[in-house]
Amino acid sequence: MATLSVTTPQRSVLGGAMIIGGTIIGAGMFSLPVVMSGAWFFWSVAALIFTWFCMLHSGLMILEANLNYPVGSSFNTVTGDLLGKNWNRLNGVTIAFVLYILTYAYISASGSVITHTMREMSVSFSPRLGGLLTALAVAFIVWLSTRAVSRMTAIVLGAKIIAFFLTFGSLLWHIKPVNLLNSAEINPSYMPYVLATLPFCLASFGYHGNVPSLMKYYGKNPQIIKKCLLLGTLMALGLYIIWMLGTMGNIPRPEFVGIAARGGNIDVLVQSLSQILNSEGLDLLLTIFSNFAVACSFLGVTLGLFDYLADLFGFNDSRTGRFKTALVTFIPPIIGGVIYPDGFIYAIGFAGLAATVWAVIVPALMARASRERFGSPLYRVWGGNKMIVLVLLFGVLNAGVHILSSLNLLPVYH
């Protein structure tokens, strides 16, 4: 039954926007220039903008449906009531899979980043210990409150943006039009490679687990939460475009073939940039940025998992209830991080197809069911049924591309 109370303390939009932006902008952005080198700059930017548009509206559809339920209700309650047990089971499996996998991925990533940072200072440090300590610190912040996550995310994201421009700002001054326009290549082909970029674009705009968390933070205030989603996703889109501009404007398109052949990891890409800029300080700045990037996404992802599990198991918001939720949230991925600390890339890869289900397809179906049952009295996403169909088609397209890619049926730039 819809609860129409909108009473909530007045809180800044910036905190919520920082949670969204911080969740989205993570270490995964380093893979974008490599996987998008086939489509190159302008087609890649078009794919990013299209994905941003669809992912923003799928998040707003979650908000529309969620507003018809008591504050604290997450996907388990809303999906089960609107779409039935079968959809709820499927959605629950995909949500838990994605968020647990991402939590494990960021424990793994934080361990490797901390180890690399310590190595730069000539200190020996185990990746397992680094991941464990980071996970415990994040668990403590998430256990405190959503406000604690918001404040810490604002600090870390602000530092990350500063580190981003310090690290890559110099790239913009060295952009060569011949690289960005790829004018040196004879009869280049871009269109065949655009489809393969879409799943990576989708994975680069994942924040949907935080929408119910924002409703707990702001109450039933759709206009404030809408602004948070808009500002947070636009922040990510802007940084992605700057990053693509800086990398593709400095590294010629054919060189990305070699980067991909060497694994396409962060160190390979940065080595290529360092050679072009002849800057020894870039490695240090990248290390700083990587620490902030991992920490920011780690906080956002675990907050979404925390609130989902609290709703699933019926744990209340008291200190004891939050402690129980924290145990369920962090113990499984911590065990995975201790046993296998080097699984970041594999974990991110496994999360894509499941994210298509719960972050795109299910939100569109929930919005349609919500309108039929409640009429969406507090908020309705613009565009009517056409917008729902567009988001559904976007989800189906991404799922199809995932399957075709796994069968090696899509062209690969080489």
Side-chain angles (χ1 to χ4, degrees), residues 83-292:
L83 302 181
K85 291 182 179 179
N86 291 333
W87 271 108
N88 193 37
R89 289 192 188 101
L90 174 62
N91 197 52
V93 168
T94 57
I95 290 174
F97 179 77
V98 171
L99 294 183
Y100 267 125
I101 280 286
L102 290 179
T103 300
Y104 158 74
Y106 285 119
I107 291 174
S108 169
S110 62
S112 62
V113 166
I114 289 174
T115 300
H116 177 72
T117 304
M118 292 298 181
R119 191 182 302 123
E120 292 292 314
M121 296 185 291
S122 300
V123 177
S124 178
F125 207 83
S126 165
R128 289 182 172 86
L129 181 59
L132 175 61
L133 293 177
T134 305
L136 292 176
V138 171
F140 177 72
I141 294 168
V142 173
W143 168 73
L144 284 176
S145 67
T146 303
R147 176 176 289 185
V149 175
S150 172
R151 289 177 176 175
M152 184 58 67
T153 303
I155 294 169
V156 175
L157 182 58
K160 182 166 73 172
I161 291 173
I162 293 171
F164 176 89
F165 285 107
L166 286 175
T167 307
F168 306 112
S170 59
L171 295 178
L172 301 180
W173 297 104
H174 293 80
I175 288 174
K176 297 177 181 178
V178 67
N179 290 335
L180 196 63
L181 300 175
N182 195 34
S183 54
E185 196 172 347
I186 300 173
N187 297 324
S189 178
Y190 306 114
M191 274 293 291
Y193 308 109
V194 174
L195 269 182
T197 68
L198 290 179
F200 293 94
C201 292
L202 186 149
S204 299
F205 284 99
Y207 65 90
H208 298 67
N210 296 109
V211 176
S213 302
L214 289 186
M215 203 171 88
K216 287 179 68 175
Y217 187 48
Y218 291 103
K220 295 197 174 185
N221 196 331
Q223 295 307 315
I224 293 292
I225 299 174
K226 177 183 175 181
K227 290 178 182 177
C228 293
L229 301 189
L230 179 62
L231 290 175
T233 55
L234 278 175
M235 187 188 311
L237 177 64
L239 288 181
Y240 288 160
I241 292 175
I242 292 171
W243 172 227
M244 302 291 285
L245 187 66
T247 50
M248 292 182 173
N250 282 279
I251 302 176
R253 186 183 186 222
E255 288 192 21
F256 279 99
V257 176
I259 294 173
R262 287 181 285 165
N265 290 330
I266 294 173
D267 57 338
V268 179
L269 182 60
V270 173
Q271 185 180 9
S272 298
L273 291 171
S274 298
Q275 290 172 352
I276 290 170
L277 298 178
N278 193 25
S279 171
E280 295 180 358
L282 190 60
D283 289 337
L284 175 61
L285 286 171
L286 175 71
T287 300
I288 296 171
F289 175 75
S290 299
N291 278 279
F292 288 133

Side-chain angles (χ1 to χ4, degrees), residues 18-26 106 153 206-207 210 296-297 299-301:
M18 287 296 189
I19 288 177
I20 298 301
T23 301
I24 295 173
I25 307 165
Y106 285 119
T153 303
Y207 65 90
N210 296 109
C296 226
S297 293
L299 283 164
V301 166

Side-chain angles (χ1 to χ4, degrees), residues 2-8 67 69 71 215 218-222 378:
T3 304
L4 302 181
S5 171
V6 295
T7 303
T8 181
L67 284 165
Y69 295 85
V71 172
M215 203 171 88
Y218 291 103
K220 295 197 174 185
N221 196 331
L378 291 180

Side-chain angles (χ1 to χ4, degrees), residues 356-405:
T356 304
V357 175
W358 74 271
V360 183
I361 295 174
V362 166
L365 295 177
M366 288 198 305
R368 185 182 65 176
S370 174
R371 292 174 190 181
E372 291 176 353
R373 183 182 302 184
F374 301 110
S376 299
L378 291 180
Y379 173 71
R380 176 178 290 212
V381 180
W382 74 283
N385 289 329
K386 292 180 180 178
M387 185 62 71
I388 291 178
V389 171
L390 175 63
V391 172
L392 277 173
L393 289 176
F394 174 71
V396 172
L397 175 63
N398 269 275
V401 170
H402 267 291
I403 294 169
L404 291 175
S405 294

